[in-house]
Amino acid sequence: MSQIIIGVGEYGVSNRPGDEIKTFALGSCVAVIFLDPRTGTLGMLHVALPESEINKTKSLDKPGYFADTGIPALLAEMARLGCSPQGQGMVVKLCGGANIMDTNEIFQIGKCNALSIKKLLWIYEMDVVAEDLGGTFSRSVSVSVETGEIILSSPGRPDWKL
């Protein structure tokens, strides 16, 4: 069994049953999780911002940083393992999108991230089957490639499943 750690703006995929994909400290960031039941492939993306227009250079170096470049990059990586490049048949789940430091709710980056992701998924005709979004606390997310089970954790809270 190996752990694949996903940092901010990164994504990873695996179809090895013993693997686990994990990301830490999702504040306003959102984890996008794709599971292809046909191939047993799991992918996770750690989105920091909704749109790459604000920094085209960064989107070229780290496409996973933005929703609009990260989702196509993750789908392309999963396609290399036999998944549909357009995401057909994928099970989609979302976690994160909290409002942690913006107490006056001026920027609402977490909400903007989640809405941008959902808009893009709608274009791909992909439905979100489960989500754990919002709130005022960060989350870490761990997903088993074998079972697809998602465990979330946050300081001072018991772990929970999505």
Side-chain angles (χ1 to χ4, degrees):
M1 176 173 117
S2 70
Q3 273 193 343
I4 300 167
I5 305 299
I6 306 300
V8 177
E10 296 177 350
Y11 54 90
V13 301
S14 176
N15 59 6
R16 294 182 305 261
D19 283 359
E20 175 181 70
I21 302 179
K22 191 168 193 166
T23 195
F24 296 95
L26 292 166
S28 61
C29 295
V30 174
V32 179
I33 302 159
F34 291 159
L35 173 63
D36 183 341
R38 184 180 60 80
T39 64
T41 304
L42 179 76
M44 183 190 295
L45 166 68
H46 186 137
V47 172
L49 293 172
E51 296 180 9
S52 60
E53 275 298 312
I54 62 168
N55 191 335
K56 284 292 190 184
T57 303
K58 186 167 192 118
S59 72
L60 295 173
D61 296 337
K62 205 169 198 179
Y65 203 82
F66 305 97
D68 64 339
T69 52
I71 288 173
L74 178 59
L75 287 172
E77 189 68 20
M78 292 182 76
R80 291 179 29 173
L81 295 177
C83 301
S84 163
Q86 295 300 312
Q88 285 91 3
M90 299 270 189
V91 175
V92 182
K93 298 181 182 183
L94 306 175
C95 307
N99 184 21
I100 296 187
M101 301 188 69
D102 183 20
T103 55
N104 293 325
E105 296 188 11
I106 295 170
F107 299 107
Q108 298 188 16
I109 295 170
K111 183 183 264 184
C112 290
N113 281 337
L115 289 174
S116 180
I117 289 164
K118 287 180 177 183
K119 179 181 174 183
L120 193 58
L121 293 172
W122 181 79
I123 291 168
Y124 278 95
E125 298 180 359
M126 297 171 75
D127 294 324
V128 176
V129 299
E131 62 183 48
D132 189 293
L133 297 168
T136 56
F137 55 93
S138 70
R139 300 157 174 86
S140 292
V141 181
S142 178
V143 187
S144 164
V145 172
E146 187 168 356
T147 66
E149 182 178 68
I150 299 172
I151 304 293
L152 294 103
S153 60
S154 184
R157 297 173 180 260
D159 292 354
W160 68 101
K161 294 180 183 180
L162 177 64

